[in-house]
mmCIF file of all heavy atoms in Angstrom:
data_model
loop_
_atom_site.group_PDB
_atom_site.id
_atom_site.type_symbol
_atom_site.label_atom_id
_atom_site.label_comp_id
_atom_site.label_asym_id
_atom_site.label_seq_id
_atom_site.Cartn_x
_atom_site.Cartn_y
_atom_site.Cartn_z
ATOM 1 N N MET R 136 -0.219 -0.680 16.775
ATOM 2 C CA MET R 136 -1.217 -0.114 17.665
ATOM 3 C C MET R 136 -1.388 1.370 17.356
ATOM 4 O O MET R 136 -0.466 2.016 16.854
ATOM 5 C CB MET R 136 -0.797 -0.272 19.132
ATOM 6 C CG MET R 136 -0.641 -1.695 19.607
ATOM 7 S SD MET R 136 -2.223 -2.556 19.739
ATOM 8 C CE MET R 136 -3.020 -1.603 21.043
ATOM 9 N N ALA R 137 -2.546 1.899 17.708
ATOM 10 C CA ALA R 137 -2.807 3.312 17.441
ATOM 11 C C ALA R 137 -3.618 3.931 18.562
ATOM 12 O O ALA R 137 -4.269 3.227 19.347
ATOM 13 C CB ALA R 137 -3.552 3.476 16.118
ATOM 14 N N TRP R 138 -3.544 5.237 18.620
ATOM 15 C CA TRP R 138 -4.391 6.035 19.498
ATOM 16 C C TRP R 138 -5.248 6.962 18.623
ATOM 17 O O TRP R 138 -4.756 7.553 17.649
ATOM 18 C CB TRP R 138 -3.558 6.883 20.455
ATOM 19 C CG TRP R 138 -2.914 6.111 21.555
ATOM 20 C CD1 TRP R 138 -1.647 5.592 21.562
ATOM 21 C CD2 TRP R 138 -3.479 5.766 22.818
ATOM 22 N NE1 TRP R 138 -1.400 4.944 22.744
ATOM 23 C CE2 TRP R 138 -2.518 5.052 23.543
ATOM 24 C CE3 TRP R 138 -4.724 6.007 23.418
ATOM 25 C CZ2 TRP R 138 -2.731 4.559 24.832
ATOM 26 C CZ3 TRP R 138 -4.944 5.534 24.699
ATOM 27 C CH2 TRP R 138 -3.962 4.818 25.395
ATOM 28 N N PHE R 139 -6.501 7.061 19.003
ATOM 29 C CA PHE R 139 -7.437 7.983 18.377
ATOM 30 C C PHE R 139 -8.077 8.817 19.488
ATOM 31 O O PHE R 139 -7.971 8.485 20.678
ATOM 32 C CB PHE R 139 -8.534 7.218 17.628
ATOM 33 C CG PHE R 139 -8.066 6.518 16.390
ATOM 34 C CD1 PHE R 139 -7.410 5.298 16.475
ATOM 35 C CD2 PHE R 139 -8.284 7.058 15.133
ATOM 36 C CE1 PHE R 139 -6.968 4.635 15.327
ATOM 37 C CE2 PHE R 139 -7.858 6.411 13.989
ATOM 38 C CZ PHE R 139 -7.202 5.198 14.093
ATOM 39 N N ARG R 140 -8.762 9.865 19.089
ATOM 40 C CA ARG R 140 -9.516 10.643 20.065
ATOM 41 C C ARG R 140 -10.786 11.167 19.415
ATOM 42 O O ARG R 140 -10.859 11.308 18.195
ATOM 43 C CB ARG R 140 -8.677 11.803 20.618
ATOM 44 C CG ARG R 140 -8.299 12.869 19.601
ATOM 45 C CD ARG R 140 -7.339 13.872 20.221
ATOM 46 N NE ARG R 140 -6.985 14.933 19.272
ATOM 47 C CZ ARG R 140 -6.091 15.880 19.551
ATOM 48 N NH1 ARG R 140 -5.453 15.892 20.737
ATOM 49 N NH2 ARG R 140 -5.821 16.808 18.649
ATOM 50 N N GLN R 141 -11.759 11.453 20.263
ATOM 51 C CA GLN R 141 -13.017 11.993 19.773
ATOM 52 C C GLN R 141 -13.532 13.039 20.752
ATOM 53 O O GLN R 141 -13.786 12.731 21.923
ATOM 54 C CB GLN R 141 -14.056 10.888 19.592
ATOM 55 C CG GLN R 141 -15.317 11.349 18.890
ATOM 56 C CD GLN R 141 -16.176 10.202 18.400
ATOM 57 O OE1 GLN R 141 -16.058 9.063 18.851
ATOM 58 N NE2 GLN R 141 -17.051 10.472 17.457
ATOM 59 N N ALA R 142 -13.659 14.246 20.247
ATOM 60 C CA ALA R 142 -14.209 15.344 21.033
ATOM 61 C C ALA R 142 -15.719 15.413 20.803
ATOM 62 O O ALA R 142 -16.212 14.931 19.767
ATOM 63 C CB ALA R 142 -13.551 16.655 20.631
ATOM 64 N N PRO R 143 -16.456 15.998 21.716
ATOM 65 C CA PRO R 143 -17.911 16.087 21.564
ATOM 66 C C PRO R 143 -18.297 16.765 20.252
ATOM 67 O O PRO R 143 -17.764 17.825 19.912
ATOM 68 C CB PRO R 143 -18.337 16.938 22.769
ATOM 69 C CG PRO R 143 -17.287 16.710 23.785
ATOM 70 C CD PRO R 143 -16.019 16.545 23.008
ATOM 71 N N GLY R 144 -19.182 16.129 19.510
ATOM 72 C CA GLY R 144 -19.665 16.700 18.264
ATOM 73 C C GLY R 144 -18.708 16.577 17.089
ATOM 74 O O GLY R 144 -18.986 17.111 16.008
ATOM 75 N N LYS R 145 -17.595 15.886 17.295
ATOM 76 C CA LYS R 145 -16.613 15.745 16.216
ATOM 77 C C LYS R 145 -16.395 14.281 15.880
ATOM 78 O O LYS R 145 -16.710 13.391 16.668
ATOM 79 C CB LYS R 145 -15.289 16.388 16.627
ATOM 80 C CG LYS R 145 -15.368 17.899 16.813
ATOM 81 C CD LYS R 145 -13.994 18.502 17.025
ATOM 82 C CE LYS R 145 -14.066 20.017 17.120
ATOM 83 N NZ LYS R 145 -12.705 20.619 17.297
ATOM 84 N N GLU R 146 -15.826 14.052 14.705
ATOM 85 C CA GLU R 146 -15.515 12.691 14.293
ATOM 86 C C GLU R 146 -14.276 12.186 15.024
ATOM 87 O O GLU R 146 -13.467 12.959 15.524
ATOM 88 C CB GLU R 146 -15.269 12.654 12.781
ATOM 89 C CG GLU R 146 -16.513 12.922 11.964
ATOM 90 C CD GLU R 146 -16.281 12.680 10.477
ATOM 91 O OE1 GLU R 146 -15.129 12.424 10.086
ATOM 92 O OE2 GLU R 146 -17.261 12.755 9.721
ATOM 93 N N ARG R 147 -14.161 10.872 15.064
ATOM 94 C CA ARG R 147 -12.977 10.276 15.669
ATOM 95 C C ARG R 147 -11.753 10.672 14.846
ATOM 96 O O ARG R 147 -11.768 10.602 13.613
ATOM 97 C CB ARG R 147 -13.134 8.765 15.718
ATOM 98 C CG ARG R 147 -12.085 8.067 16.552
ATOM 99 C CD ARG R 147 -12.501 6.664 16.902
ATOM 100 N NE ARG R 147 -13.696 6.643 17.751
ATOM 101 C CZ ARG R 147 -14.142 5.555 18.371
ATOM 102 N NH1 ARG R 147 -13.502 4.408 18.236
ATOM 103 N NH2 ARG R 147 -15.228 5.602 19.115
ATOM 104 N N GLU R 148 -10.701 11.054 15.546
ATOM 105 C CA GLU R 148 -9.498 11.604 14.915
ATOM 106 C C GLU R 148 -8.283 10.748 15.249
ATOM 107 O O GLU R 148 -8.079 10.370 16.410
ATOM 108 C CB GLU R 148 -9.280 13.036 15.442
ATOM 109 C CG GLU R 148 -8.016 13.705 15.006
ATOM 110 C CD GLU R 148 -7.733 15.006 15.751
ATOM 111 O OE1 GLU R 148 -8.289 15.208 16.843
ATOM 112 O OE2 GLU R 148 -6.959 15.826 15.225
ATOM 113 N N PHE R 149 -7.494 10.473 14.240
ATOM 114 C CA PHE R 149 -6.232 9.742 14.436
ATOM 115 C C PHE R 149 -5.257 10.621 15.213
ATOM 116 O O PHE R 149 -5.066 11.800 14.890
ATOM 117 C CB PHE R 149 -5.655 9.370 13.076
ATOM 118 C CG PHE R 149 -4.285 8.769 13.114
ATOM 119 C CD1 PHE R 149 -4.111 7.445 13.469
ATOM 120 C CD2 PHE R 149 -3.171 9.521 12.770
ATOM 121 C CE1 PHE R 149 -2.849 6.875 13.491
ATOM 122 C CE2 PHE R 149 -1.912 8.960 12.772
ATOM 123 C CZ PHE R 149 -1.745 7.633 13.137
ATOM 124 N N VAL R 150 -4.616 10.025 16.216
ATOM 125 C CA VAL R 150 -3.594 10.722 17.002
ATOM 126 C C VAL R 150 -2.204 10.245 16.600
ATOM 127 O O VAL R 150 -1.310 11.043 16.313
ATOM 128 C CB VAL R 150 -3.814 10.508 18.511
ATOM 129 C CG1 VAL R 150 -2.653 11.077 19.324
ATOM 130 C CG2 VAL R 150 -5.142 11.131 18.948
ATOM 131 N N GLY R 151 -2.011 8.938 16.587
ATOM 132 C CA GLY R 151 -0.723 8.396 16.228
ATOM 133 C C GLY R 151 -0.739 6.881 16.268
ATOM 134 O O GLY R 151 -1.685 6.268 16.762
ATOM 135 N N ALA R 152 0.318 6.296 15.736
ATOM 136 C CA ALA R 152 0.434 4.843 15.683
ATOM 137 C C ALA R 152 1.875 4.426 15.922
ATOM 138 O O ALA R 152 2.804 5.223 15.741
ATOM 139 C CB ALA R 152 -0.048 4.314 14.339
ATOM 140 N N ILE R 153 2.038 3.179 16.324
ATOM 141 C CA ILE R 153 3.365 2.625 16.562
ATOM 142 C C ILE R 153 3.427 1.243 15.945
ATOM 143 O O ILE R 153 2.455 0.473 15.986
ATOM 144 C CB ILE R 153 3.688 2.599 18.068
ATOM 145 C CG1 ILE R 153 5.139 2.190 18.316
ATOM 146 C CG2 ILE R 153 2.712 1.704 18.831
ATOM 147 C CD1 ILE R 153 5.608 2.451 19.735
ATOM 148 N N SER R 154 4.560 0.918 15.373
ATOM 149 C CA SER R 154 4.720 -0.377 14.722
ATOM 150 C C SER R 154 4.780 -1.502 15.741
ATOM 151 O O SER R 154 5.026 -1.273 16.935
ATOM 152 C CB SER R 154 5.994 -0.376 13.874
ATOM 153 O OG SER R 154 7.127 -0.175 14.702
ATOM 154 N N TRP R 155 4.600 -2.721 15.260
ATOM 155 C CA TRP R 155 4.564 -3.883 16.158
ATOM 156 C C TRP R 155 5.865 -4.036 16.941
ATOM 157 O O TRP R 155 5.868 -4.498 18.070
ATOM 158 C CB TRP R 155 4.237 -5.160 15.380
ATOM 159 C CG TRP R 155 5.034 -5.348 14.115
ATOM 160 C CD1 TRP R 155 4.671 -4.958 12.855
ATOM 161 C CD2 TRP R 155 6.305 -5.964 13.979
ATOM 162 N NE1 TRP R 155 5.644 -5.288 11.960
ATOM 163 C CE2 TRP R 155 6.671 -5.922 12.611
ATOM 164 C CE3 TRP R 155 7.202 -6.568 14.880
ATOM 165 C CZ2 TRP R 155 7.860 -6.438 12.136
ATOM 166 C CZ3 TRP R 155 8.382 -7.089 14.404
ATOM 167 C CH2 TRP R 155 8.704 -7.010 13.046
ATOM 168 N N SER R 156 6.976 -3.622 16.344
ATOM 169 C CA SER R 156 8.271 -3.724 17.026
ATOM 170 C C SER R 156 8.539 -2.537 17.937
ATOM 171 O O SER R 156 9.436 -2.577 18.777
ATOM 172 C CB SER R 156 9.388 -3.820 16.002
ATOM 173 O OG SER R 156 9.503 -2.581 15.304
ATOM 174 N N GLY R 157 7.790 -1.475 17.734
ATOM 175 C CA GLY R 157 8.045 -0.241 18.468
ATOM 176 C C GLY R 157 9.073 0.659 17.800
ATOM 177 O O GLY R 157 9.356 1.750 18.288
ATOM 178 N N GLY R 158 9.594 0.215 16.677
ATOM 179 C CA GLY R 158 10.665 0.959 16.038
ATOM 180 C C GLY R 158 10.233 2.156 15.204
ATOM 181 O O GLY R 158 11.058 3.007 14.865
ATOM 182 N N ARG R 159 8.967 2.201 14.856
ATOM 183 C CA ARG R 159 8.455 3.303 14.038
ATOM 184 C C ARG R 159 7.202 3.882 14.652
ATOM 185 O O ARG R 159 6.380 3.156 15.211
ATOM 186 C CB ARG R 159 8.154 2.822 12.623
ATOM 187 C CG ARG R 159 9.380 2.510 11.779
ATOM 188 C CD ARG R 159 8.993 1.991 10.404
ATOM 189 N NE ARG R 159 8.365 0.677 10.495
ATOM 190 C CZ ARG R 159 7.123 0.433 10.109
ATOM 191 N NH1 ARG R 159 6.356 1.399 9.625
ATOM 192 N NH2 ARG R 159 6.631 -0.793 10.206
ATOM 193 N N THR R 160 7.077 5.187 14.513
ATOM 194 C CA THR R 160 5.874 5.879 14.956
ATOM 195 C C THR R 160 5.409 6.856 13.882
ATOM 196 O O THR R 160 6.187 7.225 12.990
ATOM 197 C CB THR R 160 6.098 6.653 16.272
ATOM 198 O OG1 THR R 160 7.254 7.500 16.121
ATOM 199 C CG2 THR R 160 6.305 5.717 17.445
ATOM 200 N N TYR R 161 4.173 7.257 14.008
ATOM 201 C CA TYR R 161 3.555 8.141 13.019
ATOM 202 C C TYR R 161 2.518 8.960 13.763
ATOM 203 O O TYR R 161 1.708 8.381 14.491
ATOM 204 C CB TYR R 161 2.928 7.278 11.929
ATOM 205 C CG TYR R 161 2.007 7.968 10.939
ATOM 206 C CD1 TYR R 161 2.314 9.210 10.394
ATOM 207 C CD2 TYR R 161 0.825 7.348 10.532
ATOM 208 C CE1 TYR R 161 1.462 9.806 9.479
ATOM 209 C CE2 TYR R 161 -0.031 7.941 9.613
ATOM 210 C CZ TYR R 161 0.300 9.167 9.093
ATOM 211 O OH TYR R 161 -0.542 9.758 8.185
ATOM 212 N N TYR R 162 2.566 10.286 13.600
ATOM 213 C CA TYR R 162 1.697 11.157 14.379
ATOM 214 C C TYR R 162 0.896 12.097 13.481
ATOM 215 O O TYR R 162 1.350 12.513 12.423
ATOM 216 C CB TYR R 162 2.536 12.011 15.335
ATOM 217 C CG TYR R 162 3.310 11.210 16.349
ATOM 218 C CD1 TYR R 162 4.647 10.911 16.152
ATOM 219 C CD2 TYR R 162 2.690 10.746 17.507
ATOM 220 C CE1 TYR R 162 5.356 10.166 17.077
ATOM 221 C CE2 TYR R 162 3.385 10.003 18.447
ATOM 222 C CZ TYR R 162 4.723 9.717 18.215
ATOM 223 O OH TYR R 162 5.428 8.979 19.136
#
């Protein structure tokens, strides 16, 4: 799963992700 964000006038930006097990994250 991942989270993204988008501010007005900007492209969608990657925030972070987590593995299916929850054991790994990436920001």
Side-chain angles (χ1 to χ4, degrees):
M136 298 290 295
W138 286 94
F139 290 80
R140 65 187 182 185
Q141 189 165 19
K145 295 188 176 181
E146 292 188 354
R147 191 163 296 191
E148 174 190 20
F149 173 78
V150 173
I153 187 167
S154 62
W155 47 267
S156 68
R159 289 178 292 118
T160 52
Y161 169 42
Y162 298 98

